[in-house]
């Protein structure tokens, strides 16, 4: 009744922004991501007679927050018919507090390890549906390479799952450089931010009206390995998402001066014929999309910017998997 899994974070190239059901975590729109080798979480789960679930994340006891880890473990226990409690220890190789999609790799690794420890044998699609109920974007981290999360139509969520578009070997030269900027203020969570956007943004319907086109074009661009097309769609899609955030009430502005500094630097790089594009999620960090041949030059230019504290380099990575080495 013990198992360990690893999962990589993922970065959305077409964003998930808004829910049609918060109970089952069903999205208003489909999304596409790249699973990121270089940003991983490893989680060991053991069931025993202990009186309650215990969760340690990066050597700290997890305190209950809006992402209900305990509730997610309970969900899996109910499916497996288990009355025992779980000891969970989890470690990420990137700073969790930096707002870098930690819940995606975290919930994917947790779901895969907990199911294995509980003796629950699920298909990758079933694992994706189950992971989605912990945190939406995490359902994409079950798969490697380039991944699409289908919106689905049904109220029970049985058709809202992720699926691999292309595996990591399809485009080994693709890179994402995550910049970590200095930020004192804790941003509004993605969960709270998207709920507020759906409820109050007058342009939310306009966002939704454009996403299907982005999904179609992004799939074509990935298929063709057309970097400029992928970058262009991803950058504009992120700007459209941020436009809906900025125009909610009260307005959510994740950008800080360092965010703008990086955005302008990336646009300047393109003026100099360096193929670089940016995307951003619910936080001030900017992720720079590029190709292997330009990594050195782009990293050098990013390192010179005042607001950039650190960078993490990622390439297309594997989906979540069971590993034999436990954390305890
Ligand atoms: C901006 O998956 O963290 O990163 O489903 O409420 O757990 P919950 O939200 P979460 O939202 C991620 C939003 C995003 C875009 C994306 O990853 O697609």
């Amino acid at each position: 009744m013990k198992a360990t899994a690893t999962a990589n974070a993922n970065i959305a190239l077409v964003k998930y922004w808004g829910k049609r059901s918060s109970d089952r975590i069903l999205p208003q729109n489909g999304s596409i991501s790249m699973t990121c080798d270089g940003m991983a979480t490893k989680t060991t789960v053991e069931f025993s007679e202990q009186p309650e679930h215990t969760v340690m994340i990066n050597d700290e006891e997890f305190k209950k927050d809006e992402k209900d880890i305990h509730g997610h473990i309970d969900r899996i226990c109910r499916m497996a018919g288990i009355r025992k409690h779980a000891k969970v220890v989890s470690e990420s190789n990137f700073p969790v507090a930096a707002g870098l999609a930690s819940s995606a790799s975290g919930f994917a690794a947790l779901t895969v390890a907990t199911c294995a420890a509980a003796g629950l044998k699920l298909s990758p699609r079933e694992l994706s549906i189950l992971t989605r109920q912990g945190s939406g974007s995490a359902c994409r981290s079950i798969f490697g390479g380039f991944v699409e999360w289908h919106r689905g139509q049904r109220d029970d969520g049985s058709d809202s799952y992720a699926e691999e578009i292309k595996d990591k070997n399809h485009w080994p030269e693709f890179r994402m450089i995550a910049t970590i900027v200095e930020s004192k203020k804790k941003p509004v969570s993605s969960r709270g931010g998207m709920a507020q956007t759906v409820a109050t943004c007058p342009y939310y319907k306009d966002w939704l009206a454009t996403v299907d086109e982005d999904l179609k074009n992004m799939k074509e661009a990935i298929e063709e390995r057309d970097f400029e097309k992928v970058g262009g769609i991803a950058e504009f899609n992120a700007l459209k998402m941020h436009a809906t955030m900025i125009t909610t009430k009260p307005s959510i502005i994740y950008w800080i001066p360092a965010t703008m500094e990086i955005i302008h630097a990336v646009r300047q790089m393109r003026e100099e014929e360096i193929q670089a594009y940016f995307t951003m999620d619910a936080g001030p960090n900017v992720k720079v999309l590029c190709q292997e041949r330009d990594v050195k030059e782009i990293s050098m230019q990013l390192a010179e910017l005042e607001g950039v504290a650190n960078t993490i380099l990622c390439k297309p990575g594997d989906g979540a998997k069971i590993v034999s080495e436990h954390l305890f």
Side-chain angles (χ1 to χ4, degrees), residues 71-185:
H72 193 60
I73 300 168
D74 285 338
R75 183 178 293 124
I76 298 171
C77 288
R78 279 197 300 277
M79 284 174 76
I82 282 186
R83 287 174 181 279
K84 295 180 194 301
H85 289 106
K87 175 179 174 183
V88 177
V89 176
S90 185
E91 278 172 15
S92 295
N93 70 352
F94 59 96
V96 168
L100 286 173
S102 57
S103 82
S105 55
F107 270 95
L110 175 72
T111 306
V112 171
T114 308
C115 285
L120 201 58
K121 288 199 172 55
L122 299 180
S123 68
R125 179 172 296 182
E126 289 167 328
L127 278 171
S128 178
I129 289 174
L130 182 53
T131 304
R132 188 203 75 224
Q133 295 169 67
S135 178
S137 58
C139 79
R140 298 185 305 237
S141 277
I142 294 296
F143 299 95
F146 296 86
V147 179
E148 178 173 15
W149 172 13
H150 302 284
R151 175 195 192 272
Q153 301 295 332
R154 296 185 202 132
D155 289 340
D156 68 0
S158 58
D159 58 351
S160 185
Y161 51 80
E163 201 165 35
E164 184 186 283
I165 300 173
K166 287 282 171 193
D167 73 15
K168 64 173 187 179
N169 300 318
H170 171 69
W171 203 347
E173 305 82 19
F174 198 97
R175 293 289 180 278
M176 190 270 291
I177 306 172
T179 62
I180 299 171
V181 299
E182 304 278 9
S183 167
K184 285 167 204 78
K185 198 165 163 269

Side-chain angles (χ1 to χ4, degrees), residues 165-324:
I165 300 173
K166 287 282 171 193
D167 73 15
K168 64 173 187 179
N169 300 318
H170 171 69
W171 203 347
E173 305 82 19
F174 198 97
R175 293 289 180 278
M176 190 270 291
I177 306 172
T179 62
I180 299 171
V181 299
E182 304 278 9
S183 167
K184 285 167 204 78
K185 198 165 163 269
K186 197 177 154 30
V188 180
S189 72
S190 47
R191 189 161 294 187
M194 70 173 81
Q196 193 175 305
T197 306
V198 175
T200 69
C201 172
Y203 308 118
Y204 186 68
K205 59 178 186 327
D206 301 319
W207 152 261
L208 285 181
T210 69
V211 179
D212 283 346
E213 183 79 12
D214 287 353
L215 290 169
K216 180 177 155 284
N217 292 337
M218 181 61 80
K219 273 189 285 196
E220 273 171 23
I222 290 169
E223 179 83 36
E224 295 158 2
R225 286 193 292 262
D226 183 337
F227 181 75
E228 284 178 68
K229 190 164 161 186
V230 167
I233 300 166
E235 188 173 292
F236 195 55
N237 181 268
L239 287 169
K240 285 188 288 185
M241 176 181 73
H242 277 268
T244 70
M245 298 164 167
I246 291 169
T247 48
T248 61
K249 285 186 180 165
S251 180
I252 302 169
I253 304 176
Y254 287 111
W255 302 352
I256 60 172
T259 313
M260 292 311 295
E261 195 188 7
I262 303 166
I263 288 176
H264 285 291
V266 169
R267 287 162 63 112
Q268 182 57 36
M269 287 176 204
R270 287 212 293 274
E271 295 284 311
E272 291 155 19
E273 308 292 321
I274 302 168
Q275 287 184 3
Y277 293 85
F278 61 83
T279 182
M280 294 154 291
D281 294 301
N285 297 305
V286 181
K287 288 98 181 181
V288 181
L289 306 173
C290 63
Q291 296 163 95
E292 188 183 15
R293 60 162 206 239
D294 296 321
V295 164
K296 220 168 149 193
E297 175 63 29
I298 295 171
S299 303
M300 229 168 59
Q301 292 203 25
L302 289 173
E304 278 167 16
L305 302 178
E306 212 178 302
V308 176
N310 204 353
T311 59
I312 302 172
L313 177 64
C314 298
K315 56 185 180 185
D318 288 319
K321 55 179 178 239
I322 294 289
V323 294
S324 53

